[in-house]
Amino acid sequence: MELDGQWWKGELADDIYQALRYKELRLPVYKGQSPQLSLRRYFADLIAIVSNRFKLCPAARHLAVYLLDLFMDRYDISIQQLHMVSLSCLLLASKFEEREERVPKLESLNSLGCMRSMNLVLTKPGLLQTELLLLESVQWNLYLPTAAHFIEYYLPITVHDSDRRHGWPVNCMDKTMLYLSKYADYFLEVSLQDHLFLFFLPSLVAAACVAASRVILHLSPAWPQRLQKHSSYSWETLLPPLQRLLAAHDGDLKEANKQKSQQSVGAASGSIQSVFHQYLHRPSVTAVPPPSFLEPMTSGQTLGHSLGAEAKANAPNR
């Protein structure tokens, strides 16, 4: 990409955007049928926490969660093995989106406190085997646009001197743009937490994140003509994902106020790492073996690899 990866600032920005829009229309179909769907939020949070620890870019984080969603949607896999799959998704996505020196190393992953607290140890053979399985499940195609790939194209024109805030002209454009970018990042992460956003096009989710940020900052019009033209999305089209984002924001506000109230009377506040123990018990083993017992969601589906034969033979009884 030109300009050190900032494609949205280059001369080819419009062409790249249209190529991404073309590609998103051909993304794999997501059905939301995983037997472990109730734990999906936990593993998305796991990816986000590890991604933040290694300061990976949003595109890598979103691609990793998307790979996990596609994999969970197609295969029935044990909860224990999903830890290996989740971290393999992050490694694979970071290899695709990041520079080589920024890709997390196996030793660094195993040294994380969250890994020790769950008694998990990743092995090189296990990771390699899982990465191969993941690649084959998406037919070796990692060119999978996510909302994180689109939002940077929208942000540069999100704030304009013609905007109004609370009915008054925007006095400090730089400060307003800074706050809007932070809100857009927040809503982008909110979209990772709910699998229902996968039923919207990634470009639509990204546009809704921008619109939600403008709504929260009381910028008017909420969705100006320039953004409609730039994104090709009307206000009416944005409403379904936008309403879901704003509802999540309201829920987070209520939860934050509740925690603040508890803190005022001396209640301890849990950190984000507590999500690791919210749904799962600690594994009883100290190492995660390679996922050689994966079972396709449907009997006619194959893995396209020698692991496929092992999957049926070694699948646990349910």
Side-chain angles (χ1 to χ4, degrees):
M1 293 298 183
E2 54 191 44
L3 297 175
D4 195 25
Q6 298 183 5
W7 64 270
W8 55 91
K9 295 182 179 180
E11 296 180 357
L12 299 177
D14 291 341
D15 292 334
I16 295 174
Y17 174 71
Q18 292 302 324
L20 289 171
R21 290 294 297 268
Y22 175 84
K23 181 63 178 179
E24 73 174 348
L25 295 176
R26 289 153 181 79
L27 288 173
V29 176
Y30 177 76
K31 298 180 180 179
Q33 63 180 4
S34 170
Q36 288 84 24
L37 194 58
S38 62
L39 297 177
R40 186 259 183 199
R41 168 73 180 272
Y42 164 80
F43 288 104
D45 284 346
L46 171 61
I47 289 175
I49 291 171
V50 178
S51 174
N52 290 333
R53 169 63 178 80
F54 290 100
K55 299 180 180 180
L56 301 178
C57 66
R61 180 163 60 253
H62 280 251
L63 178 58
V65 175
Y66 186 49
L67 289 173
L68 176 65
D69 282 323
L70 292 177
F71 194 83
M72 291 179 64
D73 203 41
R74 298 176 182 181
Y75 301 103
D76 190 352
I77 181 173
S78 74
I79 295 174
Q80 180 185 341
Q81 292 295 82
L82 274 173
H83 286 88
M84 169 79 84
V85 172
S86 299
L87 295 175
S88 295
C89 287
L90 184 60
L91 284 175
L92 202 57
S94 63
K95 291 175 183 178
F96 187 75
E97 296 289 350
E98 289 281 9
R99 294 186 178 89
E100 182 177 356
E101 63 270 16
R102 295 186 63 85
V103 176
K105 302 296 188 293
L106 177 61
E107 296 78 10
S108 300
L109 287 172
N110 281 327
S111 67
L112 293 176
C114 62
M115 299 296 292
R116 294 194 299 269
S117 68
M118 292 183 295
N119 295 328
L120 290 178
V121 177
L122 302 177
T123 63
K124 187 174 181 180
L127 285 174
L128 291 176
Q129 189 177 22
T130 308
E131 285 187 0
L132 179 61
L133 187 64
L134 286 167
L135 285 169
E136 291 180 343
S137 70
V138 294
Q139 298 180 341
W140 293 79
N141 175 29
L142 293 180
Y143 179 24
L144 303 169
T146 68
H149 293 96
F150 287 99
I151 200 163
E152 298 291 357
Y153 182 75
Y154 301 145
L155 282 177
I157 67 165
T158 300
V159 179
H160 192 265
D161 55 14
S162 62
D163 290 334
R164 295 291 183 268
R165 188 167 187 266
H166 294 293
W168 294 89
V170 178
N171 291 326
C172 183
M173 296 289 293
D174 291 341
K175 187 175 182 179
T176 302
M177 186 64 206
L178 176 63
Y179 276 105
L180 193 141
S181 297
K182 290 183 178 295
Y183 266 114
D185 289 341
Y186 158 76
F187 282 115
L188 199 61
E189 296 311 301
V190 167
S191 71
L192 274 184
Q193 298 174 358
D194 190 342
H195 74 282
L196 294 178
F197 283 101
L198 290 171
F199 294 106
F200 302 110
L201 289 175
S203 59
L204 178 60
V205 174
C209 290
V210 171
S213 302
R214 288 181 60 87
V215 169
I216 295 299
L217 290 177
H218 303 284
L219 292 175
S220 60
W223 193 243
Q225 187 64 36
R226 67 178 185 278
L227 280 170
Q228 292 189 41
K229 182 179 180 180
H230 198 59
S231 67
S232 75
Y233 288 122
S234 66
W235 176 256
E236 290 73 21
T237 306
L238 288 178
L239 281 178
L242 174 60
Q243 290 172 340
R244 187 170 291 276
L245 288 171
L246 293 176
H249 175 263
D250 289 344
D252 285 348
L253 276 182
K254 292 178 181 178
E255 181 63 25
N257 290 333
K258 179 180 178 181
Q259 291 183 3
K260 185 177 180 180
S261 176
Q262 291 175 345
Q263 288 175 354
S264 66
V265 295
S269 174
S271 66
I272 192 171
Q273 275 76 9
S274 64
V275 71
F276 289 115
H277 306 287
Q278 183 175 1
Y279 301 107
L280 304 178
H281 298 292
R282 291 186 179 183
S284 58
V285 297
T286 57
V288 180
S292 59
F293 57 85
L294 297 176
E295 181 179 3
M297 294 293 297
T298 58
S299 59
Q301 189 175 3
T302 62
L303 300 181
H305 183 257
S306 59
L307 291 178
E310 298 177 14
K312 186 175 181 181
N314 299 325
N317 295 325
R318 292 184 301 278

